[in-house]
Amino acid sequence: MPSKPAPIKKAAKKEPAKKEEKAPEPAPEPVPEPAPAEPVEAVPAEGEAPPAEEGAPPAEGEAAPAPEEPKPPTPPPPKEPTSAPVDLFVEDKNDNSVTIIWSQPANIGPTGLDGYVIEICKDGTEDWKAVNEELQKSSRYVIKNLTTDDRLKIRVVAVNEGGRSTPVTLPEAVLVKEVADRPKVRLPRFLRQRYVAHVGEKINLTIPFTGKPKPVVTWTKNGQPLDPKRVNIRSTERDSILFIRASEREDSGVYEMTVKVEGFEDKTSITLQIVELPGPPASVKIVDTWGFNVALEWTPPTDNGNTEITGYTIQKADKKTGDWFTVLEHYHRLNATISDLIMGNTYKFRVFSENKCGMSESAAVTKGEAKILKTGIQYKPPDYKEHDFTEAPKFTTNLSDRSTTVGYSTKLLCSVRGFPKPKVEWMKNQMIIGDDPKFRQICVQGICSLEIRKPGNFDGGVYTCRAKNDHGEAVVSCKLEVKQPANPDAEKK
């Protein structure tokens, strides 16, 4: 067999830059079963440099290989504006401002939301102008300093790093004018009745109301304009105040308040009553004197203090001492009898009038005097015709039919009147009962009762009560039914 070819020698590592011309050896003839040979390195061709080993420095006179270029960074995603705000509508408006409100966009995106721009333009034009210098953060904005009766289109734009979103615009132009709201006076409960104050008191009454735009408030007293020297009125957008520094009686009357908004109005009224102490009774006199008693009469005061008189106070004074003592207070009549006077003394009397403010400052004094004599005191009783109280018996409550069960006591009741006191008798089936111990008869204060103790089968029938005196008699009857018990055996037990 032919011999194996010699292996190619490896180039020395320390002299990679040496160029040696070596003739290539002829290729060996093919053999049918070549043995595995050791790996050989490729021999460079003539005029070529041998391949450099991995990690070996470049040979002298050769340029270093160019470094690998870095990959460019991944570009950031493009910044996009948010979607349009939603649910834009007018919350409120008046003559110079409009308040709008909206909701944030449905799609905000990764860059977030910086704020909103509110823009307006007059209806019929497209000259949109922003009304906020800085981005609006909240979803509510008041557009101020507007001209009344202007028609404005309003829109809102959301802004972020990607720019402006699609605007959301109100569907209709807005008329800059306060929405009219019907006026309504809210009269406090304590003013729905008569308001009473004392002379000299300060009056400060606040009556709230509602309505838009600002209602026009007017006041009258008894249908006439108010006197500005006596009454001060201060009105705001929500209430009106009636103020009187020191009330007088002439301030009493009916005050009417009217609140108007455009073609609508509402009214309410307050009744003021300024009261003070009453004057004394117009006159007082001694009508009669007998025994230890004196009869007085007086007339109501001419000045009641602008309110009703609630009573009178009567005082007496002995001429010897001159000291006044109260004998009657809060007395409502115009005449009185003063009793328990001392025999031999001389008395004077005076009367004060009273109202809800108190007692009058002065009193009406009797001109004459009442002297209680020591002798000749005789009482003559009046001659009264004696009343005839006699009356024939009369039943005021009749007997009622009753039913009972054997063995169960029952009672019959009626009432009768008459004078002299009538005699009462009880009868059973037209037979006088008398002193039968089975029956108990009671008649007290005209109430008559008959108790039947444990009635038997034969105690049923017609019972009659008869009352009679010297002037007549009266009769009432009823039927008593005695039933068998539902369980006769149980009754026997």
Side-chain angles (χ1 to χ4, degrees), residues 170-181:
L170 288 174
E172 296 181 356
V174 178
L175 176 62
V176 183
K177 188 175 182 181
E178 190 161 12
V179 179
D181 188 9

Side-chain angles (χ1 to χ4, degrees), residues 33-215:
E33 291 182 0
E38 292 179 4
V40 296
E41 292 183 358
V43 178
E46 188 176 353
E48 290 185 359
E53 279 192 19
E54 187 177 352
E60 293 181 3
E62 287 187 3
E68 185 178 352
E69 293 184 2
K71 294 183 180 179
T74 304
K79 297 179 180 179
E80 295 182 357
T82 70
S83 60
V86 294
D87 300 333
L88 174 64
F89 62 89
V90 176
E91 183 184 44
D92 192 16
K93 64 177 182 175
N94 54 33
D95 289 341
N96 54 18
S97 68
V98 175
T99 303
I100 57 174
I101 191 168
W102 64 92
S103 299
Q104 68 178 12
N107 183 15
I108 294 178
T111 57
L113 177 64
D114 294 340
Y116 303 94
V117 176
I118 296 88
E119 298 177 338
I120 63 173
C121 75
K122 289 189 176 181
D123 192 21
T125 68
E126 292 298 326
D127 185 16
W128 292 95
K129 294 181 180 179
V131 295
N132 55 326
E133 296 179 359
E134 298 180 356
L135 291 179
Q136 173 70 14
K137 300 296 184 182
S138 67
S139 298
R140 183 179 181 273
Y141 190 78
V142 181
I143 307 173
K144 301 179 180 179
N145 302 323
L146 301 178
T147 305
T148 305
D149 294 331
D150 274 358
R151 286 189 175 274
L152 300 177
K153 294 189 291 183
I154 302 174
R155 70 184 186 184
V156 178
V157 179
V159 179
N160 67 355
E161 293 183 4
R164 293 163 54 95
S165 70
T166 305
V168 57
T169 309
L170 288 174
E172 296 181 356
V174 178
L175 176 62
V176 183
K177 188 175 182 181
E178 190 161 12
V179 179
D181 188 9
R182 283 178 177 267
K184 180 65 177 178
V185 180
R186 309 287 184 181
L187 187 65
R189 186 180 297 275
F190 75 96
L191 292 177
R192 297 176 188 176
Q193 300 177 350
R194 185 184 301 269
Y195 184 83
V196 180
H198 294 179
V199 169
E201 284 187 357
K202 179 174 67 175
I203 297 177
N204 191 353
L205 304 178
T206 302
I207 297 90
F209 56 80
T210 57
K212 288 184 179 182
K214 181 181 179 181

Side-chain angles (χ1 to χ4, degrees), residues 216-378:
V216 178
V217 183
T218 56
W219 285 84
T220 59
K221 176 190 174 185
N222 298 329
Q224 301 298 322
L226 299 180
D227 182 4
K229 296 180 180 179
R230 296 288 318 145
V231 183
N232 294 324
I233 301 295
R234 290 175 289 183
S235 298
T236 66
E237 295 182 356
R238 294 179 295 179
D239 54 38
S240 185
I241 301 174
L242 183 145
F243 179 76
I244 301 175
R245 186 174 299 278
S247 58
E248 298 292 342
R249 285 176 61 171
E250 55 266 25
D251 294 327
S252 302
V254 178
Y255 292 77
E256 186 176 69
M257 171 183 166
T258 304
V259 181
K260 293 184 178 180
V261 174
E262 296 182 354
F264 307 103
E265 71 175 20
D266 191 20
K267 295 182 178 181
T268 191
S269 60
I270 302 171
T271 302
L272 291 186
Q273 184 178 1
I274 312 302
V275 299
E276 61 180 344
L277 295 174
S283 63
V284 60
K285 61 181 180 180
I286 299 174
V287 179
D288 193 10
T289 302
W290 73 96
F292 305 98
N293 310 293
V294 174
L296 300 177
E297 284 186 359
W298 58 91
T299 54
T302 54
D303 181 12
N304 62 2
N306 200 29
T307 183
E308 62 180 350
I309 298 297
T310 58
Y312 298 92
T313 296
I314 298 93
Q315 295 181 343
K316 68 178 180 180
D318 187 354
K319 189 176 180 180
K320 294 179 181 179
T321 62
D323 296 333
W324 291 98
F325 296 94
T326 300
V327 292
L328 292 173
E329 284 185 304
H330 315 307
Y331 190 76
H332 296 283
R333 301 174 63 182
L334 295 174
N335 54 70
T337 298
I338 310 303
S339 303
D340 299 329
L341 300 176
I342 300 174
M343 183 183 297
N345 288 359
T346 301
Y347 293 93
K348 296 185 71 173
F349 301 90
R350 67 182 183 184
V351 180
F352 293 88
S353 53
E354 302 173 1
N355 65 6
K356 63 176 60 179
C357 292
M359 195 166 62
S360 60
E361 296 179 350
S362 59
V365 185
T366 56
K367 293 182 179 179
E369 297 176 347
K371 186 173 183 179
I372 308 302
L373 300 177
K374 292 183 178 180
T375 59
I377 300 174
Q378 293 182 355

